[in-house]
Amino acid sequence: MTTHDALLDGEVLRELRTLLGAGLDPVLAAFSTQSEELLAGLAAATAAGDAASVRRLAHLLKGSAGSVGARQLGTRAAELEQCALSGDIDAVRERLVPLPALVAATVTAVQGDQRGA
């Protein structure tokens, strides 16, 4: 399994490409932008100790990731959501540390999929 395959579910992307055709490209572009914005929001909410905002933002990231087949990112966002739901900001902080690299790798993979279409 390649890094791209570990990050993105090729079957989901193929189905989306079949359904949306070239319309998938703006969806993937929006996903890339939104993921980076949500990551910034998560960092700010975590720094503020705002578990409710972390939960909401993590839920949005989980849904966004799931909609484009970004498996690992969706899983990590779900973990953040659960930690925030239980009010465990320390666990959120721990799980947030590797998230910027994962978002960057996922965005790079998504952008590669856009170019490869």
Side-chain angles (χ1 to χ4, degrees), residues 43-54:
T46 300
D50 184 351
S53 291
V54 170

Side-chain angles (χ1 to χ4, degrees), residues 16-34:
L16 288 171
R17 183 73 61 197
T18 298
L19 290 170
L20 301 175
L24 178 59
D25 292 336
V27 170
L28 295 178
F31 165 78
S32 297
T33 301
Q34 183 183 39

Side-chain angles (χ1 to χ4, degrees), residues 23-84:
L24 178 59
D25 292 336
V27 170
L28 295 178
F31 165 78
S32 297
T33 301
Q34 183 183 39
S35 294
E36 292 168 354
E37 291 170 354
L38 289 170
L39 178 61
L42 282 164
T46 300
D50 184 351
S53 291
V54 170
R55 188 208 55 77
R56 181 182 58 79
L57 293 165
H59 183 79
L60 289 170
L61 183 59
K62 178 180 74 174
S64 180
S67 71
V68 298
R71 292 187 273 232
Q72 284 187 27
L73 186 55
T75 298
R76 298 301 170 254
E79 291 172 359
L80 281 173
E81 182 182 17
Q82 287 300 71
C83 291

